[in-house]
Amino acid sequence: MNPGQPEADGGPHPESTGRPVGRRVLLGTLGLGALGVVTAPTLQRGLEAFLGSAADKDPTGLTGLLPNGGGFRYYSVASSVPHKNAANYRLRVDGLVDRPATYTLNDLRAMPQTRMVKDVQCVTGWRVPDTPFEGVRLSQLLDAAGVRAEGTAIRFSCFDGTYTESLTLDQARRADVLVALRMQDKDIGHSHGGPVRLYVAPMYFYKSAKWLSGITVTEDVEPGYWEDRGYDVDAWVGRSNGRDDDPTS
Ligand SMILES: Nc1nc2c(c(=O)[nH]1)N[C@H]1C(S)=C(S)[C@@H](COP(=O)(O)O)O[C@H]1N2
Ligand SMILES: [Mo]
């Protein structure tokens, strides 16, 4: 495939291609993001009812999921994702580290929290300004684990069983990269990747893996789910994926 030309069918952003929503999107992912964009108001209401009844019990979270309802669109490449809570959520930190560890939600809550308010920017162009995220700095978890000299990158895995992401170690150590527990000053709901998602503030939102379950230090960058399908690994907002806003570059 041609890198930089993401697949239309099954891409994270099928609405941007002008092509009909493919069968794989509808069957494979429920196509919620796509449905919300391409369908008529009746179907939109159906989607809303579905989300309200089945996908997210949090009534305040619902509007945030809908197009034109807070700006967020729902994305999942997995058709169904188990729900996790304080009782059964675990985050594993392993790979090229001296001290592999498993954290519960309460372990993470007990650590120092960092809050930041920045714009969420999806690679298709939708954007949600001034969105608060709060959680544990990824660098703190890496320091606790003790990254070995041969570790240069991180692979993130998710309890949806499908999605992966990656960062270089330098990127992962940035102060604006969080293992996020809260978004919009609420505990992160299931649909937004709760109870714990990655938040990579300076990059397009596909880097912010939802339903985070694993942080593995690796020898090399292993491109993530969308990166295997043509999106940039270094996904800096404004200077990746064909957007070069910097006139000096
Ligand atoms: N596990 C997982 N994380 C994911 C995705 C996904 O499909 N699965 N989609 C990504 C994309 S393309 C975007 S734009 C954001 C969407 O987050 P939201 O559903 O909270 O709006 O999550 C990112 N993280
Ligand atoms: Mo996205």
Side-chain angles (χ1 to χ4, degrees):
M1 111 177 43
N2 175 10
Q5 267 306 310
E7 284 178 335
D9 186 338
H13 314 111
E15 68 273 20
S16 68
T17 65
R19 286 173 52 166
V21 176
R23 186 166 175 274
R24 181 174 147 223
V25 173
L26 290 169
L27 296 182
T29 72
L30 293 176
L32 293 180
L35 275 173
V37 174
V38 302
T39 56
T42 347
L43 271 174
Q44 179 64 57
R45 277 197 297 279
L47 170 68
E48 197 168 326
F50 168 76
L51 286 171
S53 64
D56 195 326
K57 301 284 187 208
D58 175 7
T60 60
L62 180 61
T63 49
L65 292 172
L66 299 171
N68 313 316
F72 282 95
R73 295 180 190 181
Y74 174 83
Y75 285 105
S76 174
V77 299
S79 55
S80 79
V81 181
H83 288 238
K84 301 269 186 184
N85 54 37
N88 60 7
Y89 176 78
R90 298 290 182 275
L91 175 63
R92 177 76 182 160
V93 182
D94 60 12
L96 300 170
V97 298
D98 291 329
R99 296 172 294 278
T102 302
Y103 294 86
T104 65
L105 191 53
N106 286 332
D107 292 337
L108 294 170
R109 284 174 175 156
M111 298 175 76
Q113 307 290 305
T114 299
R115 181 178 181 273
M116 58 187 123
V117 183
K118 294 175 187 290
D119 298 350
V120 161
Q121 179 74 60
C122 175
V123 70
T124 51
W126 63 269
R127 166 194 170 107
V128 185
D130 302 327
T131 304
F133 279 87
E134 194 174 336
V136 179
R137 285 212 169 106
L138 177 56
S139 63
Q140 183 172 354
L141 296 176
L142 295 174
D143 289 346
V147 176
R148 292 193 193 149
E150 61 272 28
T152 72
I154 316 288
R155 179 181 70 233
F156 301 93
S157 35
C158 305
F159 62 81
D160 63 11
T162 306
Y163 204 76
T164 56
E165 253 307 333
S166 66
L167 290 173
T168 67
L169 189 58
D170 285 347
Q171 293 165 356
R173 287 196 187 282
R174 289 173 58 109
D176 53 2
V177 175
L178 299 182
V179 169
L181 311 180
R182 290 168 64 80
M183 175 176 153
Q184 298 174 307
D185 294 317
K186 294 173 297 204
D187 291 349
I188 299 177
H190 177 75
S191 299
H192 282 303
V196 179
R197 80 181 293 169
L198 188 65
Y199 176 57
V200 184
M203 294 194 181
Y204 288 112
F205 208 29
Y206 64 85
K207 299 300 289 189
S208 294
K210 310 202 296 184
W211 307 297
L212 183 66
S213 61
I215 297 172
T216 302
V217 178
T218 57
E219 218 165 29
D220 300 296
V221 169
E222 298 175 17
Y225 184 93
W226 288 122
E227 295 146 21
D228 276 341
R229 290 156 178 81
Y231 287 85
D232 286 354
V233 173
D234 296 325
W236 306 108
V237 170
R239 353 179 224 124
S240 66
N241 293 289
R243 289 166 190 74
D244 289 305
D245 296 350
D246 179 358
T248 64
S249 69

